[in-house]
Amino acid sequence: MKNYDLSYRRYVIGGVAILIVGIYIIRLFTLQITSDDYKKSADSNAFLKKIEYPSRGNISDRNGKLMVFNQPSYDIMVVMNEMRDRLDTLDFCQTLGISRDEFDQRMATMKDRNRNPGYSRYTQQLFMSQLSDKDFSVFQEKMFRFPGFYVQKRTVRQYNYNMAAHVLGDVAEVSPADIEEDDYYQPGDYIGKLGVERRYEKQLRGEKGIQVLLRDAHGRVQGRYRNGELDHRAKPGKNLTLGIDADLQLLGERLLEGKIGSIVAIEPSTGEVLCMVSSPSYDPRMMVGRQRSKNHRLLSQDVWKPLLNRSIMGQYPPGSTFKTTQGLTFMTEGVITPSTMYPCSHGFVFKGLRVGCHGHGAPLPLVPALSTSCNGYFCWGLYHMINTNISKYGTVQNAMNTWRDYMVSMGFGYKLGIDLPGEKRGLIPNAQFYDKAYKGSWNGLTVISIAIGQGEVNATPLQIANLGATIANRGYYYVPHVVKKVQGEPLDTTFTRKHYTKASREAYDYVVQGMRSSVLGGTCHELGKYDFMACGKTGTAQNRGHDHSVFMGFAPMDEPKIAVAVYVENGGWGATYGVPIGGLIMEQYLKGQLSEASEAKARSIQERRIAYGTADR
């Protein structure tokens, strides 16, 4: 009788055997054909790939003054597979001046794949960065005692001046996110973190070089593989020339000592940023070397926020500087003519609503309204545009959105696109904004404060300076940019294209007259003493505490070379800080230096401090 159990068992055993053989074949195929793990291991034992790091591009000001350059530095690299148990840890730590605990901590951090995703026992890993020449010399003499450790020559940034930290930015070690985003980087590499260093990272960093060295079975270097056939030299990064004038930047930073605020100056004919001051600031040299992390932590914890670039990140009410945009809009839209006169009974008074104003003659037309900074005039203009032009716009919402479109065309409400990271957009409200806020029940009186740069309107100092450049050009602007030239390549066309506003040339001519009249006998009369024809507009932006002091202007009137915005938090009237600072900035740039009297004024402003409380932050 046939035994079926034995027959089935034979098939089962045969099937298991075939399965096991199949698994082994698949695994061997994976290891030998599809996987390069063992190849990498073999290559790592046979070859030492030595990276040659390029020098980072230098940064100069518009006049050729070197602002940022490179100094030699040295990193200690380690190949864990070569170190094994042959290291005299005590001698090693004493040579580098570190403790055993610090040694263990660095080793643990290096092996942590969450913090160092590129870790491998067979490739060079960063153990310690940025050794000084002195420390390097000591270590080099004894390096033969420390198998597996190598010295990698690098460069670190150095700064000629204590200024422009927010513009220049800084360089630091790459994060895991940086490595994930760009395979150019590996652990221990450096990358621009802020400012120009970040925005122009690919131009500044250059291209790495490599040397492939052949090693014997004991790990000793025998020479170049294939006589250097696979080697290639590093290519240095490209140099940058900024639009910044170093002397102007230094003056601006002096003038804002002890104050919170910003100064931005632009060349109207190109959009180049001549100076960008944000106060409080910090010495860029604090962000270099092995103390960078500690210093960055201290700065980030400072209640006065010195890391914040207020020029492009501060969002403020523009105050009366914004009245120029209203005059341009009302005249172009036919709400007013140059001779239209509005009353001002110490302000705008209508249907129980009052917006106060200082004393001056009234009624008055556009030019003297700008000269005296009349609140009543521009409130009446907005009221008539929003409330009484239904035949033209159809609805209050359409009128409001038309107004918004003018503001956006003048560079407000959206990022201008400056070549620095972190720019904020400010706020220009539209009809939908107010429909949501007031459930559809609102009109020109409800939003009247936007006519004088208050209420919901917010702008950055950069946007206010760009307004000055646009008026100087009589109706167009270039996107502001801090880099004037990149070595060996043209400037991005983003910065060379004109942007025209919706306002008419005739309207700009009358607004320029109003700003010139302000200098000759209005709120900017202090600028009248200069021998160049300046045009200006003050602003006193209301605030929960003391008002902000604001100024926007340009010079000369007919051939403008500089447009300036000054914003001093809690500085009071626009004429208190804004006008005198703006005048000094104009004089320094146009004349190349300050007169003796102006230098005395600059010292006086520099020594004045504004008392801020933590509540102001």
Side-chain angles (χ1 to χ4, degrees), residues 41 233 347 492 537:
S41 177
R233 296 184 63 82
D492 193 312
K537 183 72 195 74

Side-chain angles (χ1 to χ4, degrees), residues 31-46:
L31 291 174
Q32 297 183 36
I33 306 298
T34 64
S35 173
D36 61 355
D37 288 348
Y38 284 90
K39 181 179 183 300
K40 287 181 179 178
S41 177
D43 286 349
S44 297
N45 288 326

Side-chain angles (χ1 to χ4, degrees), residues 91-158:
D91 187 16
F92 181 84
C93 291
Q94 288 176 343
T95 301
L96 288 178
I98 61 175
S99 66
R100 177 59 190 261
D101 287 342
E102 186 176 351
F103 174 87
D104 292 337
Q105 183 179 2
R106 288 177 180 272
M107 284 293 184
T109 300
M110 186 171 56
K111 295 176 184 177
D112 184 347
R113 293 187 183 274
N114 290 325
R115 301 175 67 176
N116 183 14
Y119 173 74
S120 168
R121 290 183 55 84
Y122 303 101
T123 60
Q124 290 189 0
Q125 304 293 314
L126 177 67
F127 176 81
M128 180 180 289
S129 63
Q130 299 187 19
L131 266 69
S132 65
D133 287 341
K134 180 180 178 181
D135 292 338
F136 163 68
S137 299
V138 173
F139 183 79
Q140 188 180 38
E141 289 179 3
K142 302 175 69 174
M143 194 166 63
F144 69 94
R145 301 183 187 178
F146 310 132
F149 285 88
Y150 301 87
V151 171
Q152 176 71 63
K153 185 176 180 181
R154 302 287 288 268
T155 58
V156 293
R157 295 306 239 176
Q158 293 294 328

Side-chain angles (χ1 to χ4, degrees), residues 62 243-245 248 263-277 311-312 416 418 460-470 472-473 476-482 495 552-556 560-566 585-586 589-590:
R62 67 186 299 109
I244 297 291
D245 182 306
L248 195 66
I263 302 171
V264 180
I266 297 173
E267 183 177 62
S269 61
T270 62
E272 293 166 10
V273 175
L274 302 173
C275 78
M276 179 176 284
V277 181
S311 297
I312 62 173
L416 281 167
I418 190 171
T460 64
L462 175 68
Q463 290 171 335
I464 299 172
N466 188 64
L467 172 63
T470 305
N473 288 334
Y476 67 88
Y477 67 88
Y478 295 94
V479 172
H481 49 284
V482 296
F495 308 121
M552 178 272 294
F554 61 91
K561 292 181 172 56
I562 182 172
V564 184
V566 179
I585 293 293
M586 289 177 178
Y589 184 68
L590 295 175

